[in-house]
Amino acid sequence: MKTESANEPGVVFGTDEKMAASREVRLGGLAFTIDSVALRTLTWFGEEVVRAISWPVRDENWITLTQEVRSESFDEKNGAAVYNLEFTVFDGLLSCSLQIEANAAGSICADLEMTAVEEFRTNRAGFTVLHPINGVAGEPLSILHPDGSVEDSTFPYFISPGQPAFDIAGLRHTVGSARVEIDFQGEIFEMEDQRNWSDASYKTYCPPLVLPFTYTIKEGETRRQRISIALTGGKQESARKTSETRIEFKETGELFPAVGLAVERGWIGSESDSDALRACRASHLLVRVGPEIDPEFLAEAAELSSNTGADIDLEFVIPGDVSAADYLEVAAESVLRADLVPARVVAMPEPYMHSYQPSGPWPTGPTPQQIVGEARRAFPGAKIGGGVLTNFTELNRCRPDADACDFISHGITAIVHVSDDRSVVEALESLPSIFKSATALGRNLPYRLGLVSIGMRSNPYGASVAPNPEGIRQAMAMHDPRHSSLFGAAWAVGALAATESNSVDSITLASPAGPFAIVNAKQPVPRLVLDDNPDAVVIPLFHVFRFASGLNSRPRFSVIGLPAGLHSFAVAAESGRVDCVIANLGTRSADANFSGFDLRSCIMGRRSFGDALKSYNWVDASLAKSNGRIALEPFEVAFAEIEI
């Protein structure tokens, strides 16, 4: 498709970084894709039985090191395939050799050798196996231990704060009618529930976290690992239906969540952004303060609140070496002088901005639960929240006192472990599990999500977020190129769609300026297309945000019958009308059939990208009578008004 911009990767992804070329493999009932980073979506007669086998090497901050591929080969014949890969990491300090063999009988064997050319320090190096959620969550699991014993267990339904399986030499379970047997050699493996970090999987990895890390692979030392998978059972795939499903709308009995902006020092924006920020209709500003209290910043936040009409929710990061009561007393006085009237407050001791294993050791000093009362005394007119200012992981491991709180909160990032496009889209599958688990922890308290984004706001698992000066896809990076692209807008639609039937009262999707800006704010990393477009006022995400924020507290509808890959949210508008947003987060074009409905729509995509950047009311100006069909290329977004 011809685009307005000559740089389609920049329009869609915000970067022209080349991704590893993947190969689709089908051997009888066995199918998967493979590239130099991972074997993915392993299916057996159409049933996904393994989400991925990967071989990451991570540094001392848990950041995945980039591979330098030395050689790669693939050979397929007579119902069998062999993949060979030679690569190094960290300027050649660790040299790795991988071989994967697979055949139509349902056998997959992966061998990895890692040799340290010089002494090499790492938090983790070697195989990980990802198990899917669908067909697995809550189901029986047999764990084979190195001593030969077998433990009967289950894959957790609610997200487990700790490891659901230890000392693993093998796993046995079923997915649908398929029987899955996985054996591990060379290391002792254990399992964690990766939904904690918004990965849509359970992960089996080595070495166990009970062992010290960071650990050293000595100069000249070679470590060897093997994974063997045997698949049996399974049913032949039924023929795909060729008939088209007509779209239907069904009331869900819930209201659409409020949509807000995250604000901290440096994220306020300039006077030139004021019209767009007013137009985005944010319900609230989630203002983060501390550890130092900056009166100038509080005054700027108050002015932004006055200009936009948004409520103020305050987040306080309290230094670990001061009294929480004293800090919050000073904070309350500063907030009052700035003429801020917070609707809600969450306070967090700074040591709890980091992550800890459920078994500890935990920081000394007051816990988040213990300072809820201090926050209530300092801000008697505000609702006081429990939870964390980082990710669901930390909420799950440091659980709020639901009896003492008025609401619960946490943030979400999509790139804790990996940053490829497929994994970032798959992260959306984990959100319903996160929402259900958080709601259970909060015993149905109001549930107000902090910043939900692709990029990482802060790194609870290391010293800092990953540097990303080239603006590429980088795990644990704050600046992600996709945020300002079509991909970022489509991903936000997926996040909003995932709140359906999951008791989410509010969600924060961007910031006025800064790394998560909703307007076209200059960034310290390159952004293809946007950096060369002086007429750009907003980014594509702005239009999703503005449309969604206008739906706050309206009755919600479920959209039934959309093709695979399409995500949507819809609410009741004027009598007999539904307002709807649809995004294609799949890898192929998709066509939604709204025949029989009166439809006004517009598509934010490759052709309209340039125009959509120029005006904050582009959607209003572009909605037009449609023929009842919406055709979307990958990562394009449709806005629609539908008479039902």
Side-chain angles (χ1 to χ4, degrees):
M1 177 183 291
K2 192 69 175 175
T3 71
E4 264 192 21
S5 169
N7 193 327
E8 181 167 327
V11 168
V12 179
F13 304 108
T15 175
D16 58 3
E17 172 198 6
K18 295 290 190 296
M19 298 299 291
S22 62
R23 178 188 300 270
E24 294 188 5
V25 180
R26 181 172 289 276
L27 305 167
L30 182 69
F32 55 87
T33 63
I34 193 166
D35 56 35
S36 63
V37 176
L39 181 154
R40 306 176 194 271
T41 318
L42 180 64
T43 62
W44 180 241
F45 293 107
E47 192 84 61
E48 184 182 24
V49 291
V50 173
R51 171 134 290 181
I53 302 171
S54 60
W55 37 92
V57 179
R58 297 201 168 102
D59 70 7
E60 296 168 79
N61 287 316
W62 293 102
I63 294 170
T64 302
L65 298 173
T66 302
Q67 295 178 347
E68 182 180 336
V69 175
R70 297 297 177 87
S71 67
E72 187 178 19
S73 66
F74 180 85
D75 182 53
E76 180 182 345
K77 59 184 177 183
N78 300 326
V82 179
Y83 175 75
N84 285 286
L85 175 69
E86 305 284 337
F87 67 95
T88 62
V89 297
F90 209 72
D91 296 327
L93 290 189
L94 189 71
S95 179
C96 304
S97 177
L98 170 77
Q99 182 176 83
I100 297 178
E101 298 178 279
N103 62 52
S107 172
I108 305 95
C109 186
D111 289 278
L112 178 66
E113 291 189 354
M114 301 172 290
T115 302
V117 178
E118 298 179 17
E119 184 178 278
F120 185 79
R121 290 174 59 78
T122 178
N123 279 1
R124 182 172 296 161
F127 280 131
T128 66
V129 176
L130 305 185
H131 314 273
I133 298 172
N134 294 333
V136 173
E139 294 299 315
L141 170 67
S142 294
I143 306 165
L144 281 65
H145 296 300
D147 63 3
S149 63
V150 178
E151 175 187 353
D152 291 330
S153 184
T154 59
F155 286 98
Y157 177 76
F158 289 117
I159 300 174
S160 172
Q163 291 81 1
F166 295 92
D167 297 326
I168 299 172
L171 299 171
R172 305 288 186 265
H173 68 100
T174 59
V175 184
S177 60
R179 171 98 179 144
V180 183
E181 300 183 2
I182 309 176
D183 292 310
F184 303 88
Q185 298 178 33
E187 300 262 10
I188 302 301
F189 284 71
E190 69 183 21
M191 182 188 293
E192 65 189 10
D193 194 335
Q194 278 215 129
R195 297 175 296 172
N196 276 296
W197 298 274
S198 71
D199 297 76
S201 58
Y202 306 91
K203 178 170 72 175
T204 304
Y205 58 89
C206 65
L209 291 178
V210 295
L211 298 179
F213 61 86
T214 303
Y215 64 93
T216 299
I217 302 177
K218 297 177 181 179
E219 180 179 343
E221 179 185 356
T222 297
R223 296 202 173 192
R224 297 178 176 86
Q225 299 172 11
R226 165 174 281 201
I227 294 175
S228 303
I229 301 176
L231 305 172
T232 54
K235 297 178 180 178
Q236 294 286 344
E237 293 179 84
S238 59
R240 292 184 179 179
K241 296 180 179 180
T242 57
S243 59
E244 190 175 68
T245 303
R246 185 177 179 274
I247 304 298
E248 297 179 11
F249 295 92
K250 181 180 179 181
E251 291 187 71
T252 66
E254 59 184 322
L255 303 179
F256 195 76
V259 183
L261 293 171
V263 179
E264 61 182 63
R265 190 183 304 178
W267 293 9
I268 294 289
S270 64
E271 181 62 32
S272 62
D273 302 327
S274 58
D275 287 345
L277 292 176
R278 278 193 294 270
C280 79
R281 303 182 291 208
S283 75
H284 60 280
L285 303 177
L286 188 59
V287 179
R288 182 167 296 183
V289 181
E292 296 180 4
I293 300 170
D294 182 350
E296 183 179 349
F297 166 61
L298 292 176
E300 291 173 347
E303 182 179 3
L304 181 61
S305 174
S306 176
N307 288 340
T308 60
D311 287 344
I312 289 289
D313 290 3
L314 290 176
E315 298 177 327
F316 290 103
V317 182
I318 303 174
D321 58 353
V322 304
S323 160
D326 292 346
Y327 176 94
L328 289 169
E329 181 180 355
V330 173
E333 292 171 355
S334 299
V335 166
L336 181 63
R337 284 195 297 271
D339 202 24
L340 278 173
V341 181
R344 300 166 194 87
V345 171
V346 177
M348 176 68 51
E350 188 175 23
Y352 285 83
M353 295 295 289
H354 299 277
S355 194
Y356 305 91
Q357 287 296 314
S359 58
W362 289 86
T364 59
T367 67
Q369 298 90 331
Q370 290 169 341
I371 63 174
V372 167
E374 303 291 354
R376 198 175 295 281
R377 281 185 284 274
F379 296 93
K383 299 288 188 181
I384 305 301
V388 298
L389 306 185
T390 50
N391 301 322
F392 175 78
T393 321
E394 290 70 59
L395 176 76
N396 203 16
R397 293 176 173 179
C398 184
R399 299 182 171 188
D401 180 357
D403 293 330
C405 304
D406 299 314
F407 64 94
I408 59 169
S409 182
H410 66 86
I412 291 173
T413 175
I415 55 173
V416 173
H417 293 118
V418 290
S419 60
D420 62 281
D421 298 333
R422 182 193 297 233
S423 297
V424 172
V425 171
E426 287 175 348
L428 296 169
E429 294 179 31
S430 73
L431 299 189
S433 292
I434 289 175
F435 301 157
K436 286 180 172 63
S437 296
T439 301
L441 291 180
R443 300 208 296 273
N444 296 312
L445 282 173
Y447 182 24
R448 302 182 63 85
L449 286 163
L451 182 62
V452 177
S453 59
I454 298 174
M456 175 178 271
R457 184 175 187 175
S458 64
N459 184 1
Y461 320 109
S464 65
V465 296
N468 191 16
E470 297 179 359
I472 61 173
R473 302 167 177 89
Q474 172 65 56
M476 291 192 175
M478 179 180 290
H479 293 272
D480 189 283
R482 290 163 293 197
H483 174 81
S484 300
S485 69
L486 289 178
F487 187 111
W491 192 87
V493 174
L496 287 163
T499 65
E500 184 178 310
S501 301
N502 285 306
S503 303
V504 175
D505 294 277
S506 77
I507 184 170
T508 306
L509 287 174
S511 59
F516 306 99
I518 200 171
V519 297
N520 183 28
K522 183 68 176 176
Q523 301 293 339
V525 299
R527 299 174 308 155
L528 291 187
V529 181
L530 278 168
D531 285 343
D532 297 326
N533 190 337
D535 297 326
V537 176
V538 297
I539 64 171
L541 173 59
F542 178 93
H543 299 296
V544 173
F545 187 105
R546 183 170 188 257
F547 199 96
S549 62
L551 310 180
N552 181 14
S553 297
R554 293 191 194 175
R556 191 161 190 165
F557 279 81
S558 183
V559 186
I560 301 169
L562 289 173
L566 297 189
H567 295 236
S568 70
F569 58 86
V571 303
E574 299 169 356
S575 179
R577 195 186 89 199
V578 167
D579 290 342
C580 181
V581 181
I582 305 167
N584 185 354
L585 284 151
T587 58
R588 297 179 173 85
S589 59
D591 189 348
N593 177 13
F594 289 90
S595 60
F597 299 110
D598 288 332
L599 175 70
R600 295 177 72 240
S601 66
C602 63
I603 292 176
M604 183 170 62
R606 291 153 176 81
R607 295 179 187 273
S608 59
F609 183 83
D611 288 338
L613 302 180
K614 296 176 184 178
S615 171
Y616 55 77
N617 63 357
W618 173 81
V619 173
D620 296 337
S622 301
L623 287 169
K625 185 78 172 177
S626 170
N627 64 2
R629 305 186 77 86
I630 294 177
L632 296 172
E633 294 297 314
F635 306 110
E636 293 187 339
V637 176
F639 304 87
E641 295 178 349
I642 304 162
E643 300 292 337
I644 62 171

